[in-house]
Amino acid sequence: MDAEKAHHLTIQILKKTEQFPFLIELLFGKPLQHASLEREVFGLNFPNPVGLAAGLDKNAEVVDAMAMLGFGFVEIGTVTPKPQPGNDKPRLFRLIKDEALINRMGFNNIGADLAAARLNNRKSDIIVGANIGKNKVTPNEDAVLDYEYCFKALFDSADYFVVNVSSPNTPGLRALQDREALTKILSSLQHINHGKPTSKPILLKIAPDLTESQLDEVAEVVASTEIQGIVATNTTIAREGLLTDKITVESIGAGGLSGKPLTNVSTKVISYLNAQLSSHNTQLKTIAVGGIMNAEDAIEKLNTGSPLIQLYSGFVYKGPQLIKDINRKLISN
Ligand SMILES: Cc1cc2nc3c(=O)[nH]c(=O)nc-3n(C[C@H](O)[C@H](O)[C@H](O)COP(=O)(O)O)c2cc1C
């Protein structure tokens, strides 16, 4: 089946089964609970460190089902101020031999207000992050207004926020990772945040394709704007070391690559960042994401110093069993 059709079908099935929790329990068993899995990060209490990465539940449709499947937290989005259809289809491709995906979805989503309303209707108390972005039609000079809009619209509905400036599928978006643009966005969100009775953790999501000097710059901005952390990494625009033949890869075209080929690339970025952040002597924490396909990959990511991890492609290829495998391994370690 076409990859995006399969995705929508899965969301629809999950939405239905959400109403019959015993069915999910019958199929996948109860989520693992154990004191050794619990983490307190960003002032939030996570029942386990394995989260769902942004992009799978863009519209907050299956947050409760994800809680039932055993995720310790869910990141919805990327959400933009206005709803938008995203790029033309096809825009999601499987590279089976590589256990990878290429996507150029382009922030297809229902918009911040509807997403907030959906989140307000959730039944479970699972920790939810809202990943926010800008509309395609918004020029970069005005991007800050889009981030502000989403932050305000979702403030009461989400537990933490992720500023996404790293998707390769919105033209020009990644230029917002530059010092000046980034400082403007993060400090304006912090200004709104500090005006609230209780502020919420803000994190920044970065691309794996940044050079070390760009990463240094990002770490400096994050430290100076005093946000709480970094989600690393998003998908890569690189196509190195793939098993899938070159002609097939070229025929797919532009998009972000995720899954197994990203494992080492993202680990390298996260290790470097964690070292940089500790040298800044901050309380900043990172969420590690990128190519976690099995429990060993998860342990490797956690060993870089990130207290939390997220899955996307691994969950698509391995299913909910992967969450259990990782948590079981963590308990036994
Ligand atoms: C189809 C698809 C859509 C995605 N959409 C988003 C998104 O909207 N926002 C975002 O921050 N990351 C998005 N991502 C990136 C993932 O959250 C994650 O950072 C990346 O896929 C690397 O993790 P993985 O190798 O476990 O898939 C998307 C990934 C995929 C495969």
Side-chain angles (χ1 to χ4, degrees), residues 68-89:
M68 290 172 205
L69 290 176
F71 277 112
F73 61 110
V74 171
E75 197 170 302
I76 64 124
T78 296
V79 168
T80 54
K82 296 190 198 87
Q84 61 177 31
N87 292 325
D88 291 342
K89 293 176 189 167

Side-chain angles (χ1 to χ4, degrees), residues 270-293:
I270 296 157
S271 300
Y272 183 81
L273 260 182
N274 283 335
Q276 286 306 103
L277 292 178
S278 59
S279 78
H280 279 278
N281 205 14
T282 63
Q283 294 301 306
L284 283 162
K285 296 273 183 286
T286 53
I287 299 181
V289 50
I292 299 175
M293 310 305 284

Side-chain angles (χ1 to χ4, degrees), residues 49 51 55 88 111 116 132 142 157 222 225 244 248 253 256 270 307 319-320:
D88 291 342
I132 57 176
D142 298 334
S157 316
V222 163
T225 52
T244 308
T248 307
I270 296 157

Side-chain angles (χ1 to χ4, degrees), residues 53-55 58 77-78 92 101 103 105 107 131 164 205 233-235 258-259 262 289-291 311-313:
K58 284 180 190 278
T78 296
L92 177 59
L101 299 169
N103 91 84
M105 305 301 285
F107 292 170
N131 181 306
N164 183 8
K205 186 160 180 181
T233 67
N234 213 314
T235 56
S258 59
L262 187 59
V289 50
L311 317 173
Y312 192 131
S313 306

Side-chain angles (χ1 to χ4, degrees), residues 17 27 63 80 96 114 117 122 171 198 206 212 271 298:
T17 46
L27 285 169
V63 171
T80 54
I96 306 268
L114 264 180
R122 71 184 189 265
T198 315
I206 60 157
E212 287 192 352
S271 300

Side-chain angles (χ1 to χ4, degrees), residues 183-198:
T183 307
K184 188 172 167 190
I185 293 170
L186 296 182
S187 43
S188 98
L189 294 185
Q190 277 295 51
H191 181 72
I192 300 168
N193 205 15
H194 290 148
K196 301 276 184 185
T198 315

Side-chain angles (χ1 to χ4, degrees), residues 3-298:
E4 188 169 348
K5 275 198 187 126
H7 169 81
H8 288 303
L9 185 66
T10 308
I11 296 280
Q12 290 319 311
I13 292 171
L14 281 172
K15 247 165 111 171
K16 283 264 177 289
T17 46
E18 218 171 48
Q19 295 152 27
F20 308 100
F22 66 93
L23 250 182
I24 295 192
E25 207 175 300
L26 200 71
L27 285 169
F28 303 108
K30 269 196 165 85
L32 287 180
Q33 287 178 320
H34 197 273
S36 68
L37 296 175
E38 293 167 11
R39 305 276 187 279
E40 200 206 316
V41 192
F42 314 124
L44 301 169
N45 294 312
F46 294 81
N48 73 70
V50 186
L52 177 69
L56 201 142
D57 191 12
K58 284 180 190 278
N59 295 325
E61 290 179 275
V62 287
V63 171
D64 290 331
M66 292 301 169
M68 290 172 205
L69 290 176
F71 277 112
F73 61 110
V74 171
E75 197 170 302
I76 64 124
T78 296
V79 168
T80 54
K82 296 190 198 87
Q84 61 177 31
N87 292 325
D88 291 342
K89 293 176 189 167
R91 53 191 181 178
L92 177 59
F93 308 86
R94 300 186 195 96
L95 273 58
I96 306 268
K97 274 190 203 159
D98 288 292
E99 290 187 25
L101 299 169
I102 290 179
N103 91 84
R104 52 169 171 274
M105 305 301 285
F107 292 170
N108 53 308
N109 79 104
I110 56 171
D113 295 312
L114 264 180
R118 288 234 178 112
L119 281 184
N120 294 342
N121 282 333
R122 71 184 189 265
K123 294 193 185 72
S124 77
D125 58 1
I126 189 166
I127 292 174
V128 174
N131 181 306
I132 57 176
K134 74 165 194 75
N135 280 115
K136 188 179 177 184
V137 293
T138 306
N140 274 7
E141 306 83 82
D142 298 334
V144 64
L145 302 175
D146 278 17
Y147 288 94
E148 284 176 357
Y149 185 97
C150 293
F151 187 67
K152 287 178 189 163
L154 285 149
F155 190 85
D156 293 328
S157 316
D159 300 296
Y160 72 90
F161 286 85
V162 178
V163 175
N164 183 8
V165 284
S166 49
S167 164
N169 303 315
T170 295
L173 188 83
R174 286 172 308 153
L176 299 174
Q177 291 174 121
D178 289 351
R179 185 190 291 272
E180 200 183 325
L182 200 52
T183 307
K184 188 172 167 190
I185 293 170
L186 296 182
S187 43
S188 98
L189 294 185
Q190 277 295 51
H191 181 72
I192 300 168
N193 205 15
H194 290 148
K196 301 276 184 185
T198 315
S199 54
K200 300 227 164 143
I202 300 177
L203 286 75
L204 172 74
K205 186 160 180 181
I206 60 157
D209 307 309
L210 299 177
T211 61
E212 287 192 352
S213 71
Q214 286 172 313
L215 289 173
D216 293 344
E217 207 170 282
V218 163
E220 277 167 33
V221 174
V222 163
S224 70
T225 52
E226 295 180 351
I227 64 164
Q228 274 65 35
I230 299 179
V231 182
T233 67
N234 213 314
T235 56
T236 176
I237 52 168
R239 297 287 187 266
E240 268 111 57
L242 296 176
L243 301 171
T244 308
D245 65 276
K246 227 176 153 186
I247 296 174
T248 307
V249 175
E250 273 170 15
S251 71
I252 289 172
L257 174 72
S258 59
K260 203 171 173 183
L262 187 59
T263 313
N264 293 335
V265 181
S266 69
T267 302
K268 220 173 135 204
V269 169
I270 296 157
S271 300
Y272 183 81
L273 260 182
N274 283 335
Q276 286 306 103
L277 292 178
S278 59
S279 78
H280 279 278
N281 205 14
T282 63
Q283 294 301 306
L284 283 162
K285 296 273 183 286
T286 53
I287 299 181
V289 50
I292 299 175
M293 310 305 284
N294 53 46
E296 287 70 32
D297 293 339

